[in-house]
Amino acid sequence: MEKFVIHGGKPLKGEVTISGAKNAAVALVAATILCDEPCVLENVPEISDITICMKILQTMGADIQLLNKNVVRFDTRGIINPHVPYEMARSMRASSYFLGTLLGRFHDAYVAMPGGCDLGDRPIDQHLKAFRSLGAVDELKNGEVHCYADQLIGSQIYFDFNTVGGTINAILASVKAKGRTIIENAAKEPHIVDLANFLNSMGADIRGAGTDVIKIKGVDYLKGITYPIIPDQIEAGTYMVAAAATKGDVLVKNVIPKHLESITAKLRKIGVTVEENDESVRVSVDGALTKTSIKTMPHPGFPTDMQPQFSTLLTLAEGTSIVTDDIFDNRFRYVAELRRMGADISVDGKVAVIEGVGKLNGAPVVATDLRAGAAMVIAGLAAEGITEVSDIHYIERGYECIEKKLQMLGADIKRVTVTEVGSVQMSG
Ligand code: EPZ
């Protein structure tokens, strides 16, 4: 078992380079199944969710070559059986994308009900609604969803509410369907635009990605291309918040400032200085942090994936802040861990009330999910004393080399392997 040991209280200073976007990469890696030739993805983040996606493809018969650390060649022509290995599929949420992509190519797909971070109930009813609109039928047997269709016919898909995964799966299933598909009430996240750009570069015909109406004309053939994945706006936001929480001065490089608009606006409201450049932002703090209110919304609103990090920052802001997150049933499980460090937060359902405190004190805490784990690291960096963050496998699902990137910014963070009670090996 591994944990991070952090000696807090040091302002982060220097430069950090952002990796490819996890939530784009998981969709694009799954989408390679639709490609009729080998294709290459650049800026592939080295994170465990991607490792699992590539293992799934290899197990199913794809040929995958690491051309260098973040450039990967995919040849999925060797896949003949549309059956995703059960245990791999159930380990993450993004495995649901294999339903759309396998259905789109084979008109048949077997994928375990997806797992992923425990943020409350995470059904896939809207995904199945999209597939059914295209003429597919589905059944659940032994924990596995089986979707199949004689043929997929383009149609109108109307989502009951914004769903990122549902929108991505609707695109994957319809890009080679017969005729036109119109997706209404579509989600507008940057990773949905990135998926559409990737598929269009191969010869797909997808218009309107990034708006709430996406129109798709089915095509028969997708050619091989080389495509760079967009930078991760949530990883960028996480380092921006870490710079603010430690009252540091950090240049965050390889970003698309447009994707950070709601994060930048909130940081400025709290009293953080954010300077925007073409492909980087500089974050610094030269005064007290002040309270604010946050309500998470679908893009372009404030992203739920930044809620734990901002709530942590607000524990150090003067005054009373209110954070409302009703995207998921329960995304405040980390609050109990912050309280161990002296935070003054009360949670009632989907609303957290945060009373600013002068400082946080280091303590042993656990990561309860991916973004909560990042929030624990931020809290440890800002706190006085030593913080140990356990269950860091959650963090490694979405943050490439996080301790090395933080060490480059002057953080005192080490990865420690706990072999058994009392004995530890320092590393990293
Ligand atoms: C994606 O999850 C992201 N995961 C999440 O990021 C992110 O928090 C979320 O979008 C919102 O932006 C990936 O991209 C792999 P939704 P997804 O479908 O697709 C409910 C991270 O930290 N819903 O937009 O699961 C659902 O339960 C992760 O990187 C249904 O009820 O999100 C949730 O309450 C965490 N039925 C809400 O809608 C459905 O069929 C939004 O879910 C689908 C969703």
Side-chain angles (χ1 to χ4, degrees), residues 15 41 52 56 108 113 139 162 176 218 250 253 256-257 263 278 314 317 325 355 366 375 398 410 419:
E15 299 183 354
L41 284 175
I52 295 170
I56 287 174
D108 200 8
M113 279 298 280
E139 57 190 0
N162 262 192
K176 284 188 161 179
V250 175
K253 296 163 55 176
I256 299 173
I263 295 167
D278 286 347
L314 290 169
D325 191 344
E355 300 293 346
V366 298
T419 45

Side-chain angles (χ1 to χ4, degrees), residues 20 81 164 199 205 255 262 335 365 378 395 411:
N81 173 0
V164 169
L199 291 166
D205 184 346
V255 301
S262 61
V335 166
V365 293
I378 290 170
I395 302 172

Side-chain angles (χ1 to χ4, degrees), residues 35-319:
C35 191
D36 295 289
E37 299 172 1
C39 60
V40 174
L41 284 175
E42 297 173 333
N43 210 25
V44 178
E46 207 178 7
I47 55 178
S48 58
D49 268 13
I50 294 301
T51 307
I52 295 170
C53 284
M54 294 199 289
K55 271 212 187 96
I56 287 174
L57 289 179
Q58 277 172 321
T59 309
M60 294 176 72
D63 175 53
I64 295 181
Q65 284 172 32
L66 217 50
L67 304 181
N68 82 29
K69 187 167 158 302
N70 301 104
V71 180
V72 186
R73 180 182 181 274
F74 297 84
D75 182 351
T76 60
R77 292 174 294 184
I79 296 177
I80 45 177
N81 173 0
H83 204 140
V84 177
Y86 189 89
E87 285 309 320
M88 291 184 193
R90 66 172 299 173
S91 66
M92 58 180 189
R93 177 75 180 170
S95 53
S96 59
Y97 297 157
F98 288 97
L99 278 172
T101 189
L102 290 168
L103 190 63
R105 172 170 163 186
F106 295 101
H107 296 174
D108 200 8
Y110 292 83
V111 182
M113 279 298 280
C117 287
D118 179 4
L119 307 174
D121 189 17
R122 299 181 74 179
I124 58 167
D125 56 295
Q126 298 295 302
H127 302 230
L128 299 178
K129 174 180 178 174
F131 300 150
R132 290 170 193 158
S133 306
L134 297 169
V137 293
D138 53 81
E139 57 190 0
L140 180 63
K141 242 165 71 182
N142 312 319
E144 228 172 23
V145 180
H146 178 208
C147 289
Y148 53 97
D150 295 333
Q151 56 177 346
L152 293 172
I153 310 285
S155 75
Q156 180 158 21
I157 297 168
Y158 187 88
F159 286 120
D160 301 340
F161 47 80
N162 262 192
T163 161
V164 169
T167 303
I168 286 174
N169 252 338
I171 292 172
L172 292 171
S174 57
V175 80
K176 284 188 161 179
K178 294 235 170 310
R180 284 166 59 87
T181 296
I182 299 179
I183 303 171
E184 309 251 14
N185 202 12
K188 306 192 271 282
E189 273 68 6
H191 24 295
I192 290 166
V193 177
D194 209 30
L195 173 66
N197 291 340
F198 176 53
L199 291 166
N200 283 340
S201 308
M202 292 182 193
D205 184 346
I206 305 167
R207 299 159 199 269
T211 74
D212 56 1
V213 180
I214 300 177
K215 296 181 178 170
I216 298 169
K217 264 195 217 140
V219 297
D220 295 328
Y221 193 85
L222 294 175
K223 67 183 191 306
I225 51 142
T226 295
Y227 187 85
I229 295 171
I230 54 169
D232 193 319
Q233 83 268 24
I234 303 302
E235 185 195 15
T238 302
Y239 284 100
M240 292 166 77
V241 170
T246 59
K247 298 202 182 318
D249 186 341
V250 175
L251 183 68
V252 183
K253 296 163 55 176
N254 187 36
V255 301
I256 299 173
K258 175 85 182 139
H259 293 169
L260 301 172
E261 272 178 347
S262 61
I263 295 167
T264 297
K266 266 311 164 201
L267 283 173
R268 286 172 173 160
K269 192 125 182 293
I270 297 171
V272 178
T273 303
V274 181
E275 292 162 30
E276 284 181 338
N277 309 304
D278 286 347
E279 296 182 344
S280 64
V281 290
R282 183 171 174 188
V283 179
S284 59
V285 177
D286 50 17
L289 301 176
T290 54
K291 67 175 173 56
T292 190
S293 64
I294 289 177
K295 178 167 174 39
T296 63
M297 300 288 285
H299 191 78
F302 186 88
T304 175
D305 291 349
M306 283 301 304
Q307 178 265 102
Q309 300 92 312
F310 264 80
S311 297
T312 301
L313 179 63
L314 290 169
T315 65
L316 297 166
E318 286 171 2

